[in-house]
Amino acid sequence: MIQHTSEQRPLVQMRQVQKFFGDFQALKDIDLDIQAGEVVVVIGPSGSGKSTLCRTINRLETIDSGEILIDGEKLPEEGARLAKLRSDVGMVFQSFNLFAHKTILENVTLGPMKVRRLPAAKAKEEAMALLERVGVAHQAQKYPAQLSGGQQQRVAIARALAMKPKVMLFDEPTSALDPEMINEVLDVMVTLAKEGMTMVVVTHEMGFARKAANRVVFMADGQIVEVAEPEEFFTNPQSARAKDFLSKILTH
Amino acid sequence: MDIFDLSGLFLSGAWGTLRLFLLALVGSLALGTLLAAMRVSPTPVLRGAAATYVTVVRNTPLTLVMFFCAFGLPILDIQFASDRGLNSFFYASLALSAYTACFVAETLRSGIAAIPVGQAEAARAIGLSFRQTLSLIVLPQAFRTVIPPLGSVVIAMLKNTSIASAFNNRELISAMRSGIEIRGDMVITILIATALIYLVLALGLGRIFDLLERKLVILR
Amino acid sequence: MKKITFLTAALAAGALTLSACGQEGTPDAGGGEGAAAGDAPVYEVAEDADFSESDTWEAAQSNGTLTIGVRFDQPGLGNRPAGADVPEGFDIEIAKLVAAHLGFAPEEIEWVETVSANREPFLQNGTVDLVVATYTINDERKQVVDFAGPYYVAGQDLLVAEDSDIAGPEDLAGTSVCSVDGSTPAQRIAEEYPEADLVTYDVYSKCVTDLQSGSVDAVTTDDAILRGYAAQSDGALKVVGNPFSDEPYGVGLPKDDQVLRDAVNDALDEARDNGYWTEAFEYTLGDSSGVEQPEVDRY
């Protein structure tokens, strides 16, 4: 299962990252490399800092010290260079965050047209292909609120993919979904993983981790406690925290 | 002078009010949007400048703002036209715009605050700049959210155009004053007619805002 | 730096003008330097006055108060200076001498401010018994109220800088002339002298400010009003003295009270004979040489 499709090249590097919310340390001594083509699932109890970790990678959360590099380039401060870098990092949110005043199609074409300066016709063509791929092409003229949660999340994935990102971040992409819609989103993500997309996925879906992940990163109290291949992690966790966590979620 | 001359008088008065209103509408929306954008900008200097402007101008009577424009600007040699009447029209429009912009900005700011933070995060995540995020995602949604209160601000401005009659502008109040001078026997009729014209204009505006609200409402 | 000083001064002036709205600058109508000095005229109150056939008079008599509508904002004519309880000016003197004829002493008069918009309504609904308020007699107004008098024929004139070459309305082409928005003088300039650049404000004091700063070349309205401003300018401003309209000022009365109208007309005729009119004029507007009291029009 673990075979890296592209050459060994760290796309995301986190070095001694520290993050505070006031007195509370949300991220502690984070060191993590993510190779091109790798799928990394981040799990851990709530409040463990896994979402924060995900959000620091495209600087939606700033960090207090340490450094983060994307494809070898240090994450810039605010400004045009940060925007440029963000366009290379796709992000999918727990609450979808589709632009409420724009149609499904406009949601997907906006980035390519405004950031990549693609002509409208070209952007539309690519967007329709992406919507087709995630199975919502027939909804292209509707507004986000007219779609189910699962459909909205698939559009959100298409929106991120439209930027042709180097890496995709998923911040609990199925947590806000009704159970019957979870699989339609996971299916899209599994396909994406198989195609070689570099992905960081914060999730509670152990099935996805087993099926698609190269590595599982287990976090607790803002620290990375354990990193392992999925099979290894689920069958033979090393740390007491991981054992405790797994015993709680797997019995349900 | 009979009642038909008076209707001509009121027609030209209504046009005077309308053109003041239209120019000030464009001016106040533009300046108000700029001020609202400054107030949410990451640059402290811009935030401070916009907040100071809004605090000072919003708490100054419109009559005084008109005084500044109509009597202060000529002394600074700021003229918009060689024709005095046209100049006074621009001064009054500027005063109305500068004043109403504060209320537009505050209304918009409340609209911006009502938009889920995820909208801006998603915009930044696909690589939009701060300006693009504001102009393509945040402000369009903020405008749609605040259409009803913005309607009230705009209707208040329509009525505030009446102050311009005291500063060399011919509009509905001028027409009313002329009408009263000409036909002292019809004072009550003339007052009611004036009120009715304002009412019709304001109702028309209200209708436009109702339509806009229905057409542009955002489902969440 | 100089400009800033200018601006500050202008804005201060503007603010002053603003705060002075409604009372305008006063030429000390009660015997100040602008008017002929002297004691206030005293009009003999007719103790035996009886006009009980007039409903208006009868009601006023039983109240013990005659209510008269006057201007509070026209220097020299009807003006209430800041802080004063009672108004002063030529209209006020006319009102007092008419009241005396009707049997009311000055302290039995209640003064009510009237403006263009409320003179007719106030007479119609009985808020006031008489109006003496730069009230031009015309046919439209005669439809709804009656007039006694005229007691004065004003004429539209021009107030200009002391060194101005403007000698009459025919010199106005290409100059800017200021008046009050919607007023008859403003309408006349717009209609009959369209080559003049008309500037209108809500009060004459703004026009005078503009004239003093050179922003306009002339201010126009009835000569009686302009005289008041000229008088308080210390010689910087002058009235051209070439009136180009007739504005017969009348005493407004409720419609169809013939007894009261005759009584007021009698009062004005008497004022000519006993010199009250001249006293009133000289006390408030100054030298009366060349000015005549018009014949009353008992239409």
Side-chain angles (χ1 to χ4, degrees):
Chain A
M1 183 69 212
I2 300 175
Q3 71 265 19
H4 295 166
T5 47
S6 46
E7 77 281 17
Q8 287 288 319
R9 164 173 75 106
L11 263 183
V12 179
Q13 295 165 276
M14 304 181 82
R15 302 257 173 280
Q16 280 299 302
V17 170
Q18 320 285 342
K19 166 75 183 173
F20 290 86
F21 289 116
D23 288 338
F24 174 72
Q25 185 159 14
L27 294 179
K28 207 178 289 176
D29 307 328
I30 300 292
D31 280 297
L32 183 65
D33 278 11
I34 295 160
Q35 304 298 321
E38 198 182 12
V39 176
V40 173
V41 164
V42 183
I43 64 173
S46 67
S48 61
K50 54 192 194 301
S51 265
T52 307
L53 180 143
C54 187
R55 288 162 60 84
T56 56
I57 296 175
N58 67 352
R59 213 171 187 273
L60 284 181
E61 298 289 356
T62 55
I63 58 175
D64 294 301
S65 69
E67 61 177 8
I68 298 174
L69 292 86
I70 305 290
D71 205 3
E73 192 186 345
K74 194 169 182 297
L75 208 50
E77 302 280 299
E78 293 294 329
R81 282 185 55 236
L82 177 63
K84 167 77 185 71
L85 195 131
R86 275 177 177 155
S87 68
D88 290 336
V89 180
M91 176 124 189
V92 175
F93 300 85
Q94 178 177 350
S95 52
F96 331 136
N97 293 347
L98 293 181
F99 304 132
H101 64 306
K102 296 208 172 281
T103 63
I104 297 309
L105 182 62
E106 288 167 346
N107 262 275
V108 182
T109 57
L110 184 77
M113 286 170 63
K114 297 296 177 184
V115 178
R116 300 266 190 254
R117 301 286 161 200
L118 232 56
K122 176 78 175 152
K124 185 182 170 185
E125 188 191 319
E126 291 186 9
M128 286 310 294
L130 281 169
L131 289 173
E132 192 72 54
R133 200 169 131 193
V134 299
V136 286
H138 57 294
Q139 316 268 34
Q141 297 309 321
K142 291 189 177 170
Y143 283 89
Q146 295 170 288
L147 269 57
S148 72
Q151 290 171 327
Q152 287 193 54
Q153 195 60 301
R154 285 183 279 150
V155 174
I157 293 172
R159 175 175 69 181
L161 289 175
M163 300 303 292
K164 302 194 170 69
K166 294 175 180 166
V167 55
M168 287 276 283
L169 310 175
F170 292 82
D171 184 7
E172 304 203 25
T174 56
S175 301
L177 293 175
D178 291 336
E180 75 272 20
M181 293 174 184
I182 290 176
N183 278 333
E184 62 190 64
V185 173
L186 288 180
D187 287 348
V188 170
M189 290 168 62
V190 169
T191 311
L192 208 53
K194 292 205 166 125
E195 288 167 1
M197 174 59 74
T198 310
M199 293 163 68
V200 178
V201 183
V202 176
T203 188
H204 297 298
E205 295 297 328
M206 301 307 145
F208 174 80
R210 285 197 148 136
K211 205 186 289 181
N214 301 108
R215 276 193 293 164
V216 170
V217 171
F218 176 73
M219 287 185 73
D221 298 330
Q223 284 177 300
I224 294 177
V225 177
E226 197 168 336
V227 181
E229 294 181 7
E231 226 24 70
E232 173 75 12
F233 177 76
F234 288 119
T235 54
N236 187 19
Q238 300 299 303
S239 63
R241 294 296 304 263
K243 283 175 188 161
D244 181 49
F245 177 72
L246 285 174
S247 73
K248 278 179 185 152
I249 59 165
L250 292 179
T251 52
H252 287 289
Chain B
M1 253 315 162
D2 61 17
I3 190 72
F4 293 106
D5 297 306
L6 284 189
S7 66
L9 195 68
F10 274 106
L11 217 57
S12 75
W15 166 238
T17 291
L18 214 53
R19 61 182 209 141
L20 265 174
F21 168 77
L22 289 175
L23 184 56
L25 179 69
V26 173
S28 60
L29 288 181
L31 183 58
T33 307
L34 180 69
L35 286 169
M38 285 168 72
R39 290 207 74 169
V40 296
S41 105
T43 316
V45 177
L46 292 181
R47 280 203 305 273
T52 307
Y53 177 91
V54 169
T55 306
V56 170
V57 179
R58 187 173 62 162
N59 295 312
T60 306
L62 176 56
T63 309
L64 202 54
V65 178
M66 287 247 184
F67 256 112
F68 268 95
C69 290
F71 292 97
L73 295 184
I75 289 168
L76 295 175
D77 227 14
I78 299 171
Q79 314 259 345
F80 298 101
S82 55
D83 177 58
R84 252 201 91 124
L86 202 56
N87 225 6
S88 296
F89 168 67
F90 285 124
Y91 288 147
S93 304
L94 181 67
L96 275 167
S97 301
Y99 179 78
T100 313
C102 300
F103 298 91
V104 172
E106 287 300 283
T107 308
L108 262 182
R109 203 162 65 102
S110 74
I112 291 171
I115 293 167
V117 65
Q119 293 286 313
E121 282 188 347
R124 284 152 66 201
I126 59 169
L128 294 181
S129 65
F130 174 76
R131 269 183 57 182
Q132 285 175 320
T133 300
L134 210 54
S135 64
L136 296 171
I137 306 300
V138 176
L139 284 175
Q141 293 192 39
F143 262 110
R144 286 161 158 85
T145 314
V146 299
I147 285 171
L150 202 58
S152 301
V153 168
V154 167
I155 286 171
M157 189 183 73
L158 170 75
K159 294 183 289 183
N160 280 342
T161 57
S162 60
I163 294 180
S165 72
F167 298 88
N168 193 27
N169 279 274
R170 315 290 132 74
E171 37 70 85
L172 268 172
I173 295 298
S174 310
M176 180 196 79
R177 288 201 183 115
S178 301
I180 288 170
E181 284 291 318
I182 298 165
R183 292 300 299 264
D185 56 315
M186 291 178 28
V187 172
I188 300 299
T189 317
I190 288 168
L191 293 180
I192 291 173
T194 311
L196 276 179
I197 297 173
Y198 276 112
L199 186 70
V200 166
L201 291 177
L203 285 178
L205 270 180
R207 183 102 187 91
I208 289 171
F209 273 89
D210 282 349
L211 286 176
L212 281 177
E213 188 188 358
R214 222 167 303 153
K215 210 169 154 55
L216 296 176
V217 68
I218 305 172
L219 298 168
R220 296 222 185 260
Chain C
M1 189 63 210
K2 195 171 181 190
K3 286 211 156 159
I4 290 170
T5 318
F6 260 132
L7 177 62
T8 317
L11 292 170
L16 279 175
T17 314
L18 182 70
S19 66
C21 284
Q23 73 228 17
E24 310 198 354
T26 168
D28 298 330
E33 50 187 324
D39 294 329
V42 178
Y43 313 105
E44 192 188 334
V45 178
E47 297 298 345
D48 56 347
D50 180 7
F51 303 98
S52 51
E53 283 169 61
S54 157
D55 294 341
T56 312
W57 185 89
E58 185 65 29
Q61 181 69 20
S62 63
N63 271 341
T65 318
L66 188 66
T67 309
I68 304 182
V70 295
R71 304 288 301 230
F72 279 11
D73 61 350
Q74 300 283 24
L77 291 166
N79 184 44
R80 192 175 65 173
D85 289 333
V86 291
E88 56 197 26
F90 182 59
D91 280 349
I92 308 304
E93 295 305 314
I94 293 293
K96 283 181 189 164
L97 70 83
V98 166
H101 182 80
L102 297 176
F104 294 89
E107 54 275 11
E108 292 172 312
I109 300 172
E110 186 191 344
W111 304 104
V112 171
E113 183 179 19
T114 52
V115 296
S116 294
N118 63 18
R119 292 178 300 210
E120 289 87 356
F122 275 12
L123 281 172
Q124 285 172 312
N125 68 18
T127 306
V128 298
D129 300 320
L130 302 173
V131 167
V132 191
T134 65
Y135 200 4
T136 301
I137 302 171
N138 69 30
D139 290 342
E140 277 87 12
R141 289 171 181 159
K142 281 184 191 169
Q143 307 280 327
V144 287
V145 299
D146 277 339
F147 285 100
Y151 60 89
Y152 182 72
V153 179
Q156 183 169 350
D157 211 326
L158 299 166
L159 180 70
V160 294
E162 189 272 323
D163 57 354
S164 171
D165 294 332
I166 295 171
E170 55 284 345
D171 296 337
L172 288 177
T175 70
S176 53
V177 55
C178 187
S179 194
V180 159
D181 182 47
S183 67
T184 309
Q187 293 176 41
R188 183 172 289 117
I189 294 292
E191 281 159 28
E192 295 175 25
Y193 304 98
E195 329 79 56
D197 185 2
L198 176 64
V199 174
T200 57
Y201 297 123
D202 53 340
V203 288
Y204 287 114
S205 52
K206 280 185 194 155
C207 285
V208 174
T209 305
D210 259 16
L211 180 60
Q212 282 165 334
S213 75
S215 301
V216 298
D217 302 308
V219 177
T220 186
T221 184
D222 296 355
D223 53 1
I225 297 167
L226 296 178
R227 264 178 226 202
Y229 289 108
Q232 67 181 13
S233 73
D234 285 332
L237 307 175
K238 67 178 183 191
V239 180
V240 166
N242 181 7
F244 48 101
S245 75
D246 279 343
E247 305 291 340
Y249 288 171
V251 177
L253 307 153
K255 186 106 180 115
D256 297 328
D257 192 334
Q258 191 61 42
V259 175
L260 187 63
R261 177 139 71 108
D262 288 340
V264 174
N265 278 330
D266 290 346
L268 293 173
D269 276 339
E270 258 180 51
R272 179 200 318 281
D273 300 337
N274 61 18
Y276 281 177
W277 189 92
T278 308
E279 278 181 57
F281 191 95
E282 299 203 331
Y283 174 61
T284 54
L285 292 175
D287 186 9
S288 69
S289 53
V291 186
E292 268 184 35
Q293 181 182 358
E295 288 295 326
V296 300
D297 174 17
R298 297 176 189 261
Y299 65 89

